[in-house]
Amino acid sequence: MIVTLAGGVGAARMLAGLVQVVDPDHLTAVVNVGDDLVLHGLHISPDLDTVTYTLAGAINTETGWGLTGETWQARDMVERYGGVSWFGLGDRDLGTHLYRTQRLSEGADLATVTAEITAAWDLGLRVVPVTCDPLRTMVTLAADDPEGPGSPGLPAGSEIGFQEYFVQRHHSVPVASVRIAGADAARPTPGVLDAIAGADAVVVAPSNPIVSIGPVLAVPGVREAVTARREQVVAVSPIVAGAALKGPADRMLTELGHEASVVGVARLYAPFAGTLVIDEADADRVDEVEAEGLRCVVTPTVMRSPETAAALARATLAAVGVATEPAP
Ligand code: FO1
């Protein structure tokens, strides 16, 4: 069994590589739900949906989130009424949130509903929310944020939800701190800790270390379970040549006092990961990464195509001695 700790877009691409090189029946994605939000009364799980839609081949490849072939009539109606329209929910995507919300209201837990949704998309792998309990990533602003189109002004020190930071404010305001609300009381989804304990490899996907991998590890028991498997834990750096490929990970690392580089990632991950995979662009930093106490593997990590994602998946698993299936 291969377990992958996953955020959104980067993790989804990595998983699309992994399913090409290992039997999907032997693959479990443990996914961040700190980005989840309730909007229009609907429960939205962006990272679960990004992983699901990507593996189903139904993702909007331009945005990296939402569905292909989307229309926006419902959002346009909300906008007409002056409602909340900064978070773009397409008409097809809305169907997922309607279904999820209805099932949750009937008493199903998020893991059950996610299994139903992934089965409907014929996914072979298991996609599991790290917890079925509420987990919310909260961001405290380091500076005043002036009023913008569709977003009210806020003073420094205000705490806002992750999507208010990421989407409503286009992650343009500096961050003073990040808090994972609900983490103390959250219970890991049943099976998650056992999957980690029994995994041949635990892959930390190239996701934001603070707001994607952070909430997964914040669920009580998960960090400990991963650390106990440190020798088999292999992380892929989401930072290449000092920059995040997507999103604010580089700025956020700097703002929170970390180095926005493979060395900064190594420092954060060394307590629980035995190996860090870095891009060829950072090959000159291998010694500095290894000085942090992990093995370092250099390979192309930018997933521009299914082939490059498969090659990265192969190299990542080989780094912890896990054999992969030959290319079809
Ligand atoms: N990201 C945006 O930048 N703008 C959006 O309007 C937006 C809508 C959205 C709707 C559903 C969904 O599943 C994801 C959506 N995302 C949007 C992406 C998402 O909020 C972030 O990329 C992740 O939370 C970060 O991992």
mmCIF file with all atom_site columns, all heavy atoms in Angstrom, residues 8-9 35 44-47 49-50 65-66 86-89 93 97 162-163 166-167 212, ligand 1:
data_model
loop_
_atom_site.group_PDB
_atom_site.id
_atom_site.type_symbol
_atom_site.label_atom_id
_atom_site.label_alt_id
_atom_site.label_comp_id
_atom_site.label_asym_id
_atom_site.label_entity_id
_atom_site.label_seq_id
_atom_site.pdbx_PDB_ins_code
_atom_site.Cartn_x
_atom_site.Cartn_y
_atom_site.Cartn_z
_atom_site.occupancy
_atom_site.B_iso_or_equiv
_atom_site.pdbx_formal_charge
_atom_site.auth_seq_id
_atom_site.auth_comp_id
_atom_site.auth_asym_id
_atom_site.auth_atom_id
_atom_site.pdbx_PDB_model_num
ATOM   1   N N   . GLY A 1 8   ? -4.171  20.084 -2.831  1.00 0.00 ? 8   GLY A N   1
ATOM   2   C CA  . GLY A 1 8   ? -4.994  20.193 -4.031  1.00 0.00 ? 8   GLY A CA  1
ATOM   3   C C   . GLY A 1 8   ? -4.240  19.899 -5.323  1.00 0.00 ? 8   GLY A C   1
ATOM   4   O O   . GLY A 1 8   ? -3.867  18.746 -5.593  1.00 0.00 ? 8   GLY A O   1
ATOM   5   N N   . VAL A 1 9   ? -3.952  20.955 -6.086  1.00 0.00 ? 9   VAL A N   1
ATOM   6   C CA  . VAL A 1 9   ? -3.522  20.785 -7.480  1.00 0.00 ? 9   VAL A CA  1
ATOM   7   C C   . VAL A 1 9   ? -2.235  19.955 -7.618  1.00 0.00 ? 9   VAL A C   1
ATOM   8   O O   . VAL A 1 9   ? -2.188  18.990 -8.396  1.00 0.00 ? 9   VAL A O   1
ATOM   9   C CB  . VAL A 1 9   ? -3.336  22.172 -8.142  1.00 0.00 ? 9   VAL A CB  1
ATOM   10  C CG1 . VAL A 1 9   ? -2.873  22.040 -9.576  1.00 0.00 ? 9   VAL A CG1 1
ATOM   11  C CG2 . VAL A 1 9   ? -4.645  22.962 -8.077  1.00 0.00 ? 9   VAL A CG2 1
ATOM   12  N N   . ASP A 1 35  ? -9.156  23.447 3.931   1.00 0.00 ? 35  ASP A N   1
ATOM   13  C CA  . ASP A 1 35  ? -9.654  24.444 2.970   1.00 0.00 ? 35  ASP A CA  1
ATOM   14  C C   . ASP A 1 35  ? -11.170 24.418 2.839   1.00 0.00 ? 35  ASP A C   1
ATOM   15  O O   . ASP A 1 35  ? -11.740 25.236 2.101   1.00 0.00 ? 35  ASP A O   1
ATOM   16  C CB  . ASP A 1 35  ? -9.138  24.142 1.549   1.00 0.00 ? 35  ASP A CB  1
ATOM   17  C CG  . ASP A 1 35  ? -7.652  24.279 1.388   1.00 0.00 ? 35  ASP A CG  1
ATOM   18  O OD1 . ASP A 1 35  ? -6.953  24.383 2.390   1.00 0.00 ? 35  ASP A OD1 1
ATOM   19  O OD2 . ASP A 1 35  ? -7.204  24.261 0.228   1.00 0.00 ? 35  ASP A OD2 1
ATOM   20  N N   . ILE A 1 44  ? -18.361 22.558 0.832   1.00 0.00 ? 44  ILE A N   1
ATOM   21  C CA  . ILE A 1 44  ? -17.433 22.484 -0.305  1.00 0.00 ? 44  ILE A CA  1
ATOM   22  C C   . ILE A 1 44  ? -16.086 21.985 0.206   1.00 0.00 ? 44  ILE A C   1
ATOM   23  O O   . ILE A 1 44  ? -15.569 22.490 1.207   1.00 0.00 ? 44  ILE A O   1
ATOM   24  C CB  . ILE A 1 44  ? -17.295 23.880 -0.962  1.00 0.00 ? 44  ILE A CB  1
ATOM   25  C CG1 . ILE A 1 44  ? -18.680 24.352 -1.422  1.00 0.00 ? 44  ILE A CG1 1
ATOM   26  C CG2 . ILE A 1 44  ? -16.322 23.840 -2.137  1.00 0.00 ? 44  ILE A CG2 1
ATOM   27  C CD1 . ILE A 1 44  ? -18.783 25.838 -1.619  1.00 0.00 ? 44  ILE A CD1 1
ATOM   28  N N   . SER A 1 45  ? -15.546 20.984 -0.457  1.00 0.00 ? 45  SER A N   1
ATOM   29  C CA  . SER A 1 45  ? -14.255 20.380 -0.066  1.00 0.00 ? 45  SER A CA  1
ATOM   30  C C   . SER A 1 45  ? -13.306 20.507 -1.253  1.00 0.00 ? 45  SER A C   1
ATOM   31  O O   . SER A 1 45  ? -13.124 19.553 -2.030  1.00 0.00 ? 45  SER A O   1
ATOM   32  C CB  . SER A 1 45  ? -14.448 18.904 0.291   1.00 0.00 ? 45  SER A CB  1
ATOM   33  O OG  . SER A 1 45  ? -15.262 18.758 1.427   1.00 0.00 ? 45  SER A OG  1
ATOM   34  N N   . PRO A 1 46  ? -12.660 21.681 -1.410  1.00 0.00 ? 46  PRO A N   1
ATOM   35  C CA  . PRO A 1 46  ? -11.893 21.937 -2.638  1.00 0.00 ? 46  PRO A CA  1
ATOM   36  C C   . PRO A 1 46  ? -10.809 20.888 -2.927  1.00 0.00 ? 46  PRO A C   1
ATOM   37  O O   . PRO A 1 46  ? -10.676 20.456 -4.073  1.00 0.00 ? 46  PRO A O   1
ATOM   38  C CB  . PRO A 1 46  ? -11.285 23.322 -2.388  1.00 0.00 ? 46  PRO A CB  1
ATOM   39  C CG  . PRO A 1 46  ? -12.262 23.984 -1.482  1.00 0.00 ? 46  PRO A CG  1
ATOM   40  C CD  . PRO A 1 46  ? -12.734 22.894 -0.564  1.00 0.00 ? 46  PRO A CD  1
ATOM   41  N N   . ASP A 1 47  ? -10.043 20.501 -1.909  1.00 0.00 ? 47  ASP A N   1
ATOM   42  C CA  . ASP A 1 47  ? -8.940  19.579 -2.215  1.00 0.00 ? 47  ASP A CA  1
ATOM   43  C C   . ASP A 1 47  ? -9.447  18.179 -2.552  1.00 0.00 ? 47  ASP A C   1
ATOM   44  O O   . ASP A 1 47  ? -8.927  17.528 -3.473  1.00 0.00 ? 47  ASP A O   1
ATOM   45  C CB  . ASP A 1 47  ? -7.933  19.542 -1.054  1.00 0.00 ? 47  ASP A CB  1
ATOM   46  C CG  . ASP A 1 47  ? -7.070  20.805 -1.008  1.00 0.00 ? 47  ASP A CG  1
ATOM   47  O OD1 . ASP A 1 47  ? -7.177  21.642 -1.931  1.00 0.00 ? 47  ASP A OD1 1
ATOM   48  O OD2 . ASP A 1 47  ? -6.273  20.965 -0.056  1.00 0.00 ? 47  ASP A OD2 1
ATOM   49  N N   . ASP A 1 49  ? -12.197 17.541 -4.012  1.00 0.00 ? 49  ASP A N   1
ATOM   50  C CA  . ASP A 1 49  ? -12.772 17.610 -5.361  1.00 0.00 ? 49  ASP A CA  1
ATOM   51  C C   . ASP A 1 49  ? -11.686 17.764 -6.424  1.00 0.00 ? 49  ASP A C   1
ATOM   52  O O   . ASP A 1 49  ? -11.788 17.180 -7.514  1.00 0.00 ? 49  ASP A O   1
ATOM   53  C CB  . ASP A 1 49  ? -13.784 18.759 -5.449  1.00 0.00 ? 49  ASP A CB  1
ATOM   54  C CG  . ASP A 1 49  ? -15.042 18.457 -4.631  1.00 0.00 ? 49  ASP A CG  1
ATOM   55  O OD1 . ASP A 1 49  ? -15.236 17.287 -4.256  1.00 0.00 ? 49  ASP A OD1 1
ATOM   56  O OD2 . ASP A 1 49  ? -15.814 19.391 -4.364  1.00 0.00 ? 49  ASP A OD2 1
ATOM   57  N N   . THR A 1 50  ? -10.638 18.532 -6.112  1.00 0.00 ? 50  THR A N   1
ATOM   58  C CA  . THR A 1 50  ? -9.551  18.684 -7.096  1.00 0.00 ? 50  THR A CA  1
ATOM   59  C C   . THR A 1 50  ? -8.891  17.335 -7.364  1.00 0.00 ? 50  THR A C   1
ATOM   60  O O   . THR A 1 50  ? -8.601  16.975 -8.508  1.00 0.00 ? 50  THR A O   1
ATOM   61  C CB  . THR A 1 50  ? -8.526  19.717 -6.580  1.00 0.00 ? 50  THR A CB  1
ATOM   62  O OG1 . THR A 1 50  ? -9.191  20.979 -6.485  1.00 0.00 ? 50  THR A OG1 1
ATOM   63  C CG2 . THR A 1 50  ? -7.336  19.849 -7.500  1.00 0.00 ? 50  THR A CG2 1
ATOM   64  N N   . TRP A 1 65  ? -8.645  23.657 -10.870 1.00 0.00 ? 65  TRP A N   1
ATOM   65  C CA  . TRP A 1 65  ? -9.755  23.334 -9.965  1.00 0.00 ? 65  TRP A CA  1
ATOM   66  C C   . TRP A 1 65  ? -11.058 23.426 -10.759 1.00 0.00 ? 65  TRP A C   1
ATOM   67  O O   . TRP A 1 65  ? -11.088 24.042 -11.829 1.00 0.00 ? 65  TRP A O   1
ATOM   68  C CB  . TRP A 1 65  ? -9.796  24.268 -8.748  1.00 0.00 ? 65  TRP A CB  1
ATOM   69  C CG  . TRP A 1 65  ? -9.774  25.732 -9.070  1.00 0.00 ? 65  TRP A CG  1
ATOM   70  C CD1 . TRP A 1 65  ? -8.666  26.540 -9.123  1.00 0.00 ? 65  TRP A CD1 1
ATOM   71  C CD2 . TRP A 1 65  ? -10.891 26.576 -9.421  1.00 0.00 ? 65  TRP A CD2 1
ATOM   72  N NE1 . TRP A 1 65  ? -9.031  27.818 -9.476  1.00 0.00 ? 65  TRP A NE1 1
ATOM   73  C CE2 . TRP A 1 65  ? -10.387 27.868 -9.664  1.00 0.00 ? 65  TRP A CE2 1
ATOM   74  C CE3 . TRP A 1 65  ? -12.263 26.354 -9.542  1.00 0.00 ? 65  TRP A CE3 1
ATOM   75  C CZ2 . TRP A 1 65  ? -11.192 28.946 -10.017 1.00 0.00 ? 65  TRP A CZ2 1
ATOM   76  C CZ3 . TRP A 1 65  ? -13.089 27.419 -9.897  1.00 0.00 ? 65  TRP A CZ3 1
ATOM   77  C CH2 . TRP A 1 65  ? -12.542 28.700 -10.132 1.00 0.00 ? 65  TRP A CH2 1
ATOM   78  N N   . GLY A 1 66  ? -12.100 22.818 -10.223 1.00 0.00 ? 66  GLY A N   1
ATOM   79  C CA  . GLY A 1 66  ? -13.390 22.840 -10.916 1.00 0.00 ? 66  GLY A CA  1
ATOM   80  C C   . GLY A 1 66  ? -13.402 21.868 -12.095 1.00 0.00 ? 66  GLY A C   1
ATOM   81  O O   . GLY A 1 66  ? -12.408 21.220 -12.405 1.00 0.00 ? 66  GLY A O   1
ATOM   82  N N   . TRP A 1 86  ? -17.641 35.635 -5.121  1.00 0.00 ? 86  TRP A N   1
ATOM   83  C CA  . TRP A 1 86  ? -16.189 35.616 -5.312  1.00 0.00 ? 86  TRP A CA  1
ATOM   84  C C   . TRP A 1 86  ? -15.628 34.196 -5.351  1.00 0.00 ? 86  TRP A C   1
ATOM   85  O O   . TRP A 1 86  ? -14.534 33.975 -5.869  1.00 0.00 ? 86  TRP A O   1
ATOM   86  C CB  . TRP A 1 86  ? -15.466 36.455 -4.236  1.00 0.00 ? 86  TRP A CB  1
ATOM   87  C CG  . TRP A 1 86  ? -15.792 36.113 -2.806  1.00 0.00 ? 86  TRP A CG  1
ATOM   88  C CD1 . TRP A 1 86  ? -16.683 36.753 -2.010  1.00 0.00 ? 86  TRP A CD1 1
ATOM   89  C CD2 . TRP A 1 86  ? -15.228 35.058 -2.007  1.00 0.00 ? 86  TRP A CD2 1
ATOM   90  N NE1 . TRP A 1 86  ? -16.720 36.173 -0.762  1.00 0.00 ? 86  TRP A NE1 1
ATOM   91  C CE2 . TRP A 1 86  ? -15.826 35.133 -0.733  1.00 0.00 ? 86  TRP A CE2 1
ATOM   92  C CE3 . TRP A 1 86  ? -14.262 34.081 -2.226  1.00 0.00 ? 86  TRP A CE3 1
ATOM   93  C CZ2 . TRP A 1 86  ? -15.516 34.258 0.304   1.00 0.00 ? 86  TRP A CZ2 1
ATOM   94  C CZ3 . TRP A 1 86  ? -13.941 33.199 -1.201  1.00 0.00 ? 86  TRP A CZ3 1
ATOM   95  C CH2 . TRP A 1 86  ? -14.568 33.287 0.047   1.00 0.00 ? 86  TRP A CH2 1
ATOM   96  N N   . PHE A 1 87  ? -16.355 33.233 -4.817  1.00 0.00 ? 87  PHE A N   1
ATOM   97  C CA  . PHE A 1 87  ? -15.889 31.847 -4.880  1.00 0.00 ? 87  PHE A CA  1
ATOM   98  C C   . PHE A 1 87  ? -16.655 31.172 -6.016  1.00 0.00 ? 87  PHE A C   1
ATOM   99  O O   . PHE A 1 87  ? -17.859 30.963 -5.928  1.00 0.00 ? 87  PHE A O   1
ATOM   100 C CB  . PHE A 1 87  ? -16.139 31.138 -3.542  1.00 0.00 ? 87  PHE A CB  1
ATOM   101 C CG  . PHE A 1 87  ? -15.359 29.866 -3.393  1.00 0.00 ? 87  PHE A CG  1
ATOM   102 C CD1 . PHE A 1 87  ? -13.994 29.903 -3.086  1.00 0.00 ? 87  PHE A CD1 1
ATOM   103 C CD2 . PHE A 1 87  ? -15.954 28.637 -3.576  1.00 0.00 ? 87  PHE A CD2 1
ATOM   104 C CE1 . PHE A 1 87  ? -13.264 28.735 -2.963  1.00 0.00 ? 87  PHE A CE1 1
ATOM   105 C CE2 . PHE A 1 87  ? -15.230 27.466 -3.443  1.00 0.00 ? 87  PHE A CE2 1
ATOM   106 C CZ  . PHE A 1 87  ? -13.881 27.510 -3.132  1.00 0.00 ? 87  PHE A CZ  1
ATOM   107 N N   . GLY A 1 88  ? -15.954 30.887 -7.094  1.00 0.00 ? 88  GLY A N   1
ATOM   108 C CA  . GLY A 1 88  ? -16.597 30.464 -8.332  1.00 0.00 ? 88  GLY A CA  1
ATOM   109 C C   . GLY A 1 88  ? -17.070 29.015 -8.320  1.00 0.00 ? 88  GLY A C   1
ATOM   110 O O   . GLY A 1 88  ? -16.266 28.093 -8.443  1.00 0.00 ? 88  GLY A O   1
ATOM   111 N N   . LEU A 1 89  ? -18.364 28.841 -8.173  1.00 0.00 ? 89  LEU A N   1
ATOM   112 C CA  . LEU A 1 89  ? -18.927 27.493 -8.229  1.00 0.00 ? 89  LEU A CA  1
ATOM   113 C C   . LEU A 1 89  ? -19.664 27.326 -9.558  1.00 0.00 ? 89  LEU A C   1
ATOM   114 O O   . LEU A 1 89  ? -20.701 27.952 -9.779  1.00 0.00 ? 89  LEU A O   1
ATOM   115 C CB  . LEU A 1 89  ? -19.876 27.271 -7.048  1.00 0.00 ? 89  LEU A CB  1
ATOM   116 C CG  . LEU A 1 89  ? -19.205 27.333 -5.666  1.00 0.00 ? 89  LEU A CG  1
ATOM   117 C CD1 . LEU A 1 89  ? -20.251 27.254 -4.558  1.00 0.00 ? 89  LEU A CD1 1
ATOM   118 C CD2 . LEU A 1 89  ? -18.176 26.214 -5.506  1.00 0.00 ? 89  LEU A CD2 1
ATOM   119 N N   . ASP A 1 93  ? -20.119 21.622 -11.050 1.00 0.00 ? 93  ASP A N   1
ATOM   120 C CA  . ASP A 1 93  ? -19.471 21.464 -9.749  1.00 0.00 ? 93  ASP A CA  1
ATOM   121 C C   . ASP A 1 93  ? -20.505 21.567 -8.618  1.00 0.00 ? 93  ASP A C   1
ATOM   122 O O   . ASP A 1 93  ? -20.438 20.826 -7.629  1.00 0.00 ? 93  ASP A O   1
ATOM   123 C CB  . ASP A 1 93  ? -18.397 22.564 -9.620  1.00 0.00 ? 93  ASP A CB  1
ATOM   124 C CG  . ASP A 1 93  ? -17.490 22.394 -8.422  1.00 0.00 ? 93  ASP A CG  1
ATOM   125 O OD1 . ASP A 1 93  ? -17.246 21.247 -8.005  1.00 0.00 ? 93  ASP A OD1 1
ATOM   126 O OD2 . ASP A 1 93  ? -17.010 23.424 -7.895  1.00 0.00 ? 93  ASP A OD2 1
ATOM   127 N N   . HIS A 1 97  ? -21.493 19.567 -4.717  1.00 0.00 ? 97  HIS A N   1
ATOM   128 C CA  . HIS A 1 97  ? -21.705 20.166 -3.388  1.00 0.00 ? 97  HIS A CA  1
ATOM   129 C C   . HIS A 1 97  ? -23.129 19.931 -2.891  1.00 0.00 ? 97  HIS A C   1
ATOM   130 O O   . HIS A 1 97  ? -23.349 19.744 -1.693  1.00 0.00 ? 97  HIS A O   1
ATOM   131 C CB  . HIS A 1 97  ? -21.367 21.660 -3.408  1.00 0.00 ? 97  HIS A CB  1
ATOM   132 C CG  . HIS A 1 97  ? -20.079 21.947 -4.101  1.00 0.00 ? 97  HIS A CG  1
ATOM   133 N ND1 . HIS A 1 97  ? -18.917 21.271 -3.815  1.00 0.00 ? 97  HIS A ND1 1
ATOM   134 C CD2 . HIS A 1 97  ? -19.778 22.794 -5.118  1.00 0.00 ? 97  HIS A CD2 1
ATOM   135 C CE1 . HIS A 1 97  ? -17.956 21.697 -4.615  1.00 0.00 ? 97  HIS A CE1 1
ATOM   136 N NE2 . HIS A 1 97  ? -18.451 22.618 -5.408  1.00 0.00 ? 97  HIS A NE2 1
ATOM   137 N N   . PHE A 1 162 ? -9.432  30.411 5.300   1.00 0.00 ? 162 PHE A N   1
ATOM   138 C CA  . PHE A 1 162 ? -8.450  30.203 4.233   1.00 0.00 ? 162 PHE A CA  1
ATOM   139 C C   . PHE A 1 162 ? -8.940  30.704 2.885   1.00 0.00 ? 162 PHE A C   1
ATOM   140 O O   . PHE A 1 162 ? -8.200  31.344 2.146   1.00 0.00 ? 162 PHE A O   1
ATOM   141 C CB  . PHE A 1 162 ? -8.090  28.705 4.132   1.00 0.00 ? 162 PHE A CB  1
ATOM   142 C CG  . PHE A 1 162 ? -7.133  28.436 3.012   1.00 0.00 ? 162 PHE A CG  1
ATOM   143 C CD1 . PHE A 1 162 ? -5.794  28.748 3.141   1.00 0.00 ? 162 PHE A CD1 1
ATOM   144 C CD2 . PHE A 1 162 ? -7.578  27.918 1.799   1.00 0.00 ? 162 PHE A CD2 1
ATOM   145 C CE1 . PHE A 1 162 ? -4.902  28.528 2.097   1.00 0.00 ? 162 PHE A CE1 1
ATOM   146 C CE2 . PHE A 1 162 ? -6.693  27.691 0.755   1.00 0.00 ? 162 PHE A CE2 1
ATOM   147 C CZ  . PHE A 1 162 ? -5.360  27.999 0.903   1.00 0.00 ? 162 PHE A CZ  1
ATOM   148 N N   . GLN A 1 163 ? -10.186 30.420 2.526   1.00 0.00 ? 163 GLN A N   1
ATOM   149 C CA  . GLN A 1 163 ? -10.649 30.823 1.191   1.00 0.00 ? 163 GLN A CA  1
ATOM   150 C C   . GLN A 1 163 ? -10.854 32.333 1.092   1.00 0.00 ? 163 GLN A C   1
ATOM   151 O O   . GLN A 1 163 ? -10.713 32.890 0.001   1.00 0.00 ? 163 GLN A O   1
ATOM   152 C CB  . GLN A 1 163 ? -11.934 30.076 0.809   1.00 0.00 ? 163 GLN A CB  1
ATOM   153 C CG  . GLN A 1 163 ? -11.795 28.562 0.770   1.00 0.00 ? 163 GLN A CG  1
ATOM   154 C CD  . GLN A 1 163 ? -10.806 28.038 -0.278  1.00 0.00 ? 163 GLN A CD  1
ATOM   155 O OE1 . GLN A 1 163 ? -10.312 28.775 -1.124  1.00 0.00 ? 163 GLN A OE1 1
ATOM   156 N NE2 . GLN A 1 163 ? -10.507 26.757 -0.214  1.00 0.00 ? 163 GLN A NE2 1
ATOM   157 N N   . PHE A 1 166 ? -7.291  33.140 0.327   1.00 0.00 ? 166 PHE A N   1
ATOM   158 C CA  . PHE A 1 166 ? -6.737  32.591 -0.916  1.00 0.00 ? 166 PHE A CA  1
ATOM   159 C C   . PHE A 1 166 ? -7.498  33.087 -2.141  1.00 0.00 ? 166 PHE A C   1
ATOM   160 O O   . PHE A 1 166 ? -6.897  33.539 -3.113  1.00 0.00 ? 166 PHE A O   1
ATOM   161 C CB  . PHE A 1 166 ? -6.792  31.058 -0.840  1.00 0.00 ? 166 PHE A CB  1
ATOM   162 C CG  . PHE A 1 166 ? -6.027  30.358 -1.919  1.00 0.00 ? 166 PHE A CG  1
ATOM   163 C CD1 . PHE A 1 166 ? -4.713  29.975 -1.715  1.00 0.00 ? 166 PHE A CD1 1
ATOM   164 C CD2 . PHE A 1 166 ? -6.624  30.071 -3.142  1.00 0.00 ? 166 PHE A CD2 1
ATOM   165 C CE1 . PHE A 1 166 ? -4.008  29.325 -2.708  1.00 0.00 ? 166 PHE A CE1 1
ATOM   166 C CE2 . PHE A 1 166 ? -5.923  29.426 -4.140  1.00 0.00 ? 166 PHE A CE2 1
ATOM   167 C CZ  . PHE A 1 166 ? -4.616  29.049 -3.920  1.00 0.00 ? 166 PHE A CZ  1
ATOM   168 N N   . VAL A 1 167 ? -8.806  32.982 -2.102  1.00 0.00 ? 167 VAL A N   1
ATOM   169 C CA  . VAL A 1 167 ? -9.600  33.313 -3.294  1.00 0.00 ? 167 VAL A CA  1
ATOM   170 C C   . VAL A 1 167 ? -10.103 34.760 -3.232  1.00 0.00 ? 167 VAL A C   1
ATOM   171 O O   . VAL A 1 167 ? -9.890  35.548 -4.147  1.00 0.00 ? 167 VAL A O   1
ATOM   172 C CB  . VAL A 1 167 ? -10.783 32.330 -3.460  1.00 0.00 ? 167 VAL A CB  1
ATOM   173 C CG1 . VAL A 1 167 ? -11.674 32.756 -4.629  1.00 0.00 ? 167 VAL A CG1 1
ATOM   174 C CG2 . VAL A 1 167 ? -10.265 30.911 -3.684  1.00 0.00 ? 167 VAL A CG2 1
ATOM   175 N N   . SER A 1 212 ? -1.506  23.037 3.374   1.00 0.00 ? 212 SER A N   1
ATOM   176 C CA  . SER A 1 212 ? -2.046  21.794 2.804   1.00 0.00 ? 212 SER A CA  1
ATOM   177 C C   . SER A 1 212 ? -1.566  20.581 3.596   1.00 0.00 ? 212 SER A C   1
ATOM   178 O O   . SER A 1 212 ? -2.374  19.794 4.096   1.00 0.00 ? 212 SER A O   1
ATOM   179 C CB  . SER A 1 212 ? -1.638  21.642 1.331   1.00 0.00 ? 212 SER A CB  1
ATOM   180 O OG  . SER A 1 212 ? -2.176  22.689 0.564   1.00 0.00 ? 212 SER A OG  1
HETATM 181 N N1  . FO1 B 2 .   ? -9.788  29.018 -6.637  1.00 0.00 ? 1   FO1 B N1  1
HETATM 182 C C1  . FO1 B 2 .   ? -9.766  30.298 -7.068  1.00 0.00 ? 1   FO1 B C1  1
HETATM 183 O O1  . FO1 B 2 .   ? -8.679  30.863 -7.197  1.00 0.00 ? 1   FO1 B O1  1
HETATM 184 N N2  . FO1 B 2 .   ? -10.940 30.972 -7.358  1.00 0.00 ? 1   FO1 B N2  1
HETATM 185 C C2  . FO1 B 2 .   ? -12.161 30.374 -7.253  1.00 0.00 ? 1   FO1 B C2  1
HETATM 186 O O2  . FO1 B 2 .   ? -13.183 31.004 -7.537  1.00 0.00 ? 1   FO1 B O2  1
HETATM 187 C C3  . FO1 B 2 .   ? -12.193 29.009 -6.822  1.00 0.00 ? 1   FO1 B C3  1
HETATM 188 C C4  . FO1 B 2 .   ? -13.385 28.300 -6.729  1.00 0.00 ? 1   FO1 B C4  1
HETATM 189 C C5  . FO1 B 2 .   ? -13.366 26.940 -6.383  1.00 0.00 ? 1   FO1 B C5  1
HETATM 190 C C6  . FO1 B 2 .   ? -14.543 26.206 -6.373  1.00 0.00 ? 1   FO1 B C6  1
HETATM 191 C C7  . FO1 B 2 .   ? -14.522 24.864 -6.044  1.00 0.00 ? 1   FO1 B C7  1
HETATM 192 C C8  . FO1 B 2 .   ? -13.314 24.246 -5.728  1.00 0.00 ? 1   FO1 B C8  1
HETATM 193 O O3  . FO1 B 2 .   ? -13.301 22.953 -5.419  1.00 0.00 ? 1   FO1 B O3  1
HETATM 194 C C9  . FO1 B 2 .   ? -12.137 24.971 -5.741  1.00 0.00 ? 1   FO1 B C9  1
HETATM 195 C C10 . FO1 B 2 .   ? -12.135 26.319 -6.072  1.00 0.00 ? 1   FO1 B C10 1
HETATM 196 N N3  . FO1 B 2 .   ? -10.963 27.063 -6.113  1.00 0.00 ? 1   FO1 B N3  1
HETATM 197 C C11 . FO1 B 2 .   ? -10.959 28.365 -6.518  1.00 0.00 ? 1   FO1 B C11 1
HETATM 198 C C12 . FO1 B 2 .   ? -9.683  26.472 -5.773  1.00 0.00 ? 1   FO1 B C12 1
HETATM 199 C C13 . FO1 B 2 .   ? -9.425  26.326 -4.300  1.00 0.00 ? 1   FO1 B C13 1
HETATM 200 O O4  . FO1 B 2 .   ? -10.134 27.111 -3.459  1.00 0.00 ? 1   FO1 B O4  1
HETATM 201 C C14 . FO1 B 2 .   ? -7.929  26.415 -3.941  1.00 0.00 ? 1   FO1 B C14 1
HETATM 202 O O5  . FO1 B 2 .   ? -7.108  26.157 -5.018  1.00 0.00 ? 1   FO1 B O5  1
HETATM 203 C C15 . FO1 B 2 .   ? -7.600  25.406 -2.922  1.00 0.00 ? 1   FO1 B C15 1
HETATM 204 O O6  . FO1 B 2 .   ? -8.377  25.478 -1.781  1.00 0.00 ? 1   FO1 B O6  1
HETATM 205 C C16 . FO1 B 2 .   ? -6.108  25.459 -2.550  1.00 0.00 ? 1   FO1 B C16 1
HETATM 206 O O7  . FO1 B 2 .   ? -5.698  24.152 -2.422  1.00 0.00 ? 1   FO1 B O7  1
#
